[in-house]
Amino acid sequence: MTNEMRGVAVVSGGGSGIGREIARALARRGHPLALLGRRQGPLEETLAGGEGLVLPCDVRDAEAVATAARQVERRWGAASLVVPAAGLAAISPLEETSPERFRELLDTNLTGVFLLLRALLPAMRRQGSGWIFPILSTAAQRGFPGWSAYCASKWGLAGLVAALREELRGSGVRLTALYPGATASPLWDDLPGEWNRALMVPPREVARAVVHALDADPTTLVEEIHLGPAGGAL
Ligand SMILES: NC(=O)c1ccc[n+]([C@@H]2O[C@H](COP(=O)([O-])OP(=O)(O)OC[C@H]3O[C@@H](n4cnc5c(N)ncnc54)[C@H](OP(=O)(O)O)[C@@H]3O)[C@@H](O)[C@H]2O)c1
């Protein structure tokens, strides 16, 4: 990794679960952090007095995301690493899913990623470097009963990522897409059903996958990482 890649890591959803573990791993590697999420407290807990900024905002709010991006640019210039990890899940049969809930998942998991990347990419392109780690899911490639809104948001994100990958060719900005299976994070807390956390991927393993991609020889781009429970999908 070049020195310029030790710049700021912008992590949405940095206050818990996968985003928090990735943020911590990047801080240990010397990256200052810019952490986005709606609640300030958990973001501060992740930062734990380290170098960086907490930028409480809702990723569905284009203006709030643009403001956060401007704060990042004022302090550090272009983002070096971007991890759009803010997201949420819901489980219900399609016909019992309210239009509001459907929209909420699409707005957060898909449009929220679009808004963050749209705000940060111009400076990254100008700098000619940077690395984006979108957090997709096994549910970006498979259907699971009760997960229609979530699957729609993640399959949509997979389409966005596929197009963006092509747009970035030659720009110097890299993209490694992560496809975790069931991961033991607070995302499962309010979901109906019995979920055995002990069978799930620990969030730190998703962070380890990011580190693996960063550590590859610069000649080589790890384009996608798929990881899931060793015993199969839950
Ligand atoms: N856990 C899994 O099994 C799994 C598997 C594959 C992929 N993923 C994906 O991994 C990502 C991280 O999820 P996680 O498992 O780590 O869940 P998590 O612990 O619930 O973290 C999600 C984070 O997103 C933030 N967030 C939610 N809505 C937001 C909004 N509108 N604006 C800003 N921040 C928002 C939450 O903070 P606030 O509530 O404070 O805003 C929270 O910190 C998600 O995209 C999820 O779909 C998870």
Side-chain angles (χ1 to χ4, degrees):
M1 191 163 59
T2 60
N3 278 340
E4 65 189 348
M5 296 304 294
R6 295 288 178 194
V8 65
V10 181
V11 184
S12 74
S16 65
I18 293 172
R20 167 175 278 179
E21 287 304 319
I22 294 174
R24 286 178 170 159
L26 297 176
R28 285 194 294 272
R29 292 168 68 88
H31 292 277
L33 300 176
L35 300 175
L36 281 66
R38 288 167 300 181
R39 292 164 301 151
Q40 178 157 356
L43 300 177
E44 278 170 356
E45 255 177 64
T46 301
L47 192 58
E51 187 189 355
L53 277 180
V54 301
L55 300 166
C57 79
D58 190 320
V59 295
R60 296 170 294 178
D61 179 341
E63 197 41 55
V65 171
T67 300
R70 276 194 296 275
Q71 285 176 268
V72 169
E73 202 173 334
R74 254 201 311 277
R75 171 134 171 207
W76 290 286
S80 285
L81 307 178
V82 184
V83 185
L88 77 166
I91 302 179
S92 57
L94 184 144
E95 67 275 21
E96 292 169 23
T97 303
S98 70
E100 293 72 29
R101 194 72 175 131
F102 186 83
R103 213 172 290 124
E104 184 185 21
L105 260 72
L106 269 287
D107 285 352
T108 307
N109 297 355
L110 176 54
T111 309
V113 178
F114 160 73
L115 291 174
L116 185 63
L117 295 178
R118 182 179 185 280
L120 294 171
L121 259 173
M124 296 169 78
R125 276 192 188 278
R126 279 196 299 278
Q127 177 156 292
S129 67
W131 209 317
I132 300 167
F133 290 90
I135 312 296
L136 294 108
S137 169
T138 312
Q141 297 190 307
R142 277 185 60 183
F144 295 93
W147 293 75
S148 58
Y150 187 77
C151 286
S153 71
K154 293 294 182 176
W155 282 64
L157 183 57
L160 180 153
V161 163
L164 179 61
R165 189 188 297 291
E166 299 309 315
E167 291 181 22
L168 291 177
R169 296 228 186 263
S171 69
V173 180
R174 290 167 174 246
L175 189 154
T176 298
L178 295 163
Y179 290 78
T183 303
S185 78
L187 176 121
W188 297 88
D189 288 354
D190 298 325
L191 296 180
E194 294 290 315
W195 306 104
N196 186 345
R197 310 298 176 100
L199 297 178
M200 294 185 183
V201 173
R204 67 171 178 277
E205 293 302 320
V206 184
R208 199 203 298 265
V210 170
V211 168
H212 166 74
L214 287 169
D215 283 342
D217 186 89
T219 55
T220 305
L221 177 63
V222 179
E223 296 202 343
E224 291 186 351
I225 298 181
H226 299 254
L227 68 166
L234 299 191

